[in-house]
Amino acid sequence: MECRMQCKMQVKRWRNWSLKAETKTERLVLSQAQHDKYLANFSNLLNDLLKCHKHPGHCPKCPKIHGKSWEKIGTWAYDVAASARGHIMVVGKGKSIWSYLGGRRWKRFPGVARRIALSPDGRPHIINAHSQIWYRHGGRYHKIPGYAMDISYGGRITIIGTNVETYGFGIYQWMGRHWKKLPGSGTQVSVDYHGRPWIVNKYHYIFRWAGRKFIHVPGKAIDIGVGVKGDVWIIGTNHHAYKWTGRGWKNYGGNFRRIDVGPKGPVATAWNHHGVYLLSKQEIK
């Protein structure tokens, strides 16, 4: 339904243009090549709209593949986080923080952030525009020493630091009063609820923590999320969402940039930031 509305809006815009193009002024301004391009785009949009009505979910603009439907629950987000108890928060326009209430309803949350993670009970841990780390407790934010590029909260708070290393930036875990350096480097991190991080490095390779070192996992990704039960999801380099089966990655489609995993399933942000999508448990096999 959301896709049909988007297609209808685009078609309306092109129709408005076509009416303006009938005037002599518009025809003088537009070259023949531009005119042909606009007409071709208008035709493609009409075809997309027809596909939406005849075959719902098969429009090129729909985040659906292999019969898996992602439900749109929000309109704009740069980053997303989900907790073990089902809380969902996003970083929206102007680095604002929003909390998910259900359906398509969101509530503005105090503070601003560049990246966000949630504790198991839903308390936000954020990185601001200056790479500082803060967490919310008792109605206000408290600063954690250090600087970070990415953050995750599973069994332990884990960050990607700001110190440049061979494959990205340093990886650190919070021990309560200080940061412990882990071997290796990366750009994205997500931690399971036993405190074991999974990372993606600057070359998009994937690694998981095996107690003393990181072990390579097949595949490539631009983001990664680990759920409460240890289920691992990634956004591949083709922007599709994938779930780790233990032997390989199963494709669940979409066109995404960020992902995290809650008890209700994965939640992801659209590649162009214009949407927050949730995949229900019924769709995951």
Side-chain angles (χ1 to χ4, degrees):
M1 183 62 70
E2 184 69 30
C3 181
R4 295 182 193 179
M5 291 297 294
Q6 291 177 1
C7 285
K8 284 182 178 179
M9 289 174 65
Q10 290 291 341
V11 168
K12 187 176 180 179
R13 292 191 189 104
W14 286 110
R15 280 177 175 160
N16 289 340
W17 173 86
S18 65
L19 292 173
K20 291 180 182 178
E22 293 300 323
T23 66
K24 292 182 180 180
T25 305
E26 287 285 327
R27 287 193 179 279
L28 286 173
V29 171
L30 293 173
S31 67
Q32 185 62 43
Q34 288 174 318
H35 185 266
D36 293 343
K37 179 182 177 181
Y38 280 125
L39 290 179
N41 286 336
F42 179 58
S43 176
N44 290 337
L45 285 166
L46 283 175
N47 289 334
D48 286 348
L49 180 60
L50 289 173
K51 288 179 182 179
C52 277
H53 282 291
K54 292 181 179 179
H55 308 286
H58 289 74
C59 170
K61 293 177 172 53
C62 289
K64 179 173 181 175
I65 194 169
H66 304 321
K68 309 301 180 186
S69 295
W70 291 81
E71 177 190 0
K72 189 172 185 179
I73 60 174
T75 56
W76 202 101
Y78 174 76
D79 196 18
V80 63
S83 78
R85 297 183 184 177
H87 306 90
I88 296 173
M89 287 190 179
V90 299
V91 175
K93 289 184 178 180
K95 299 182 175 62
S96 57
I97 302 172
W98 296 82
S99 178
Y100 182 54
L101 301 178
R104 294 287 296 271
R105 296 176 297 117
W106 294 81
K107 181 181 179 181
R108 181 75 162 82
F109 195 84
V112 292
R114 182 167 55 87
R115 299 303 300 267
I116 189 169
L118 297 181
S119 65
D121 59 358
R123 289 179 288 114
H125 289 61
I126 66 169
I127 300 171
N128 67 13
H130 304 290
S131 300
Q132 296 171 330
I133 309 161
W134 299 79
Y135 71 97
R136 181 87 174 177
H137 182 69
R140 63 190 184 94
Y141 282 97
H142 305 264
K143 192 175 185 299
I144 300 176
Y147 297 88
M149 304 294 289
D150 193 21
I151 187 168
S152 180
Y153 194 146
R156 290 186 183 275
I157 302 171
T158 305
I159 62 169
I160 300 294
T162 56
N163 56 309
V164 179
E165 297 190 4
T166 306
Y167 300 103
F169 304 89
I171 307 165
Y172 300 85
Q173 283 196 325
W174 182 245
M175 307 306 291
R177 293 186 177 182
H178 67 277
W179 292 102
K180 178 183 177 181
K181 177 83 167 65
L182 299 183
S185 54
T187 57
Q188 313 292 333
V189 64
S190 190
V191 186
D192 68 19
Y193 287 89
H194 297 287
R196 297 171 298 201
W198 288 63
I199 66 163
V200 175
N201 69 17
K202 71 177 183 179
Y203 298 111
H204 307 299
Y205 291 112
I206 306 162
F207 294 84
R208 65 175 179 86
W209 184 249
R212 294 185 178 181
K213 63 179 181 178
F214 283 100
I215 296 177
H216 178 250
V217 177
K220 285 191 172 184
I222 60 172
D223 198 23
I224 191 164
V226 185
V228 61
K229 295 182 179 179
D231 42 333
V232 182
W233 289 74
I234 61 169
I235 303 299
T237 52
N238 61 353
H239 308 301
H240 288 184
Y242 294 84
K243 183 178 186 289
W244 178 246
T245 64
R247 295 184 176 180
W249 298 99
K250 183 175 180 179
N251 192 341
Y252 282 83
N255 187 22
F256 303 123
R257 181 184 293 267
R258 304 290 187 201
I259 194 166
D260 203 359
V261 188
K264 295 182 180 179
V267 57
T269 68
W271 169 248
N272 61 2
H273 307 307
H274 295 169
V276 184
Y277 293 87
L278 180 67
L279 187 65
S280 66
K281 285 184 176 180
Q282 290 77 13
E283 294 282 0
I284 304 170
K285 296 180 181 179

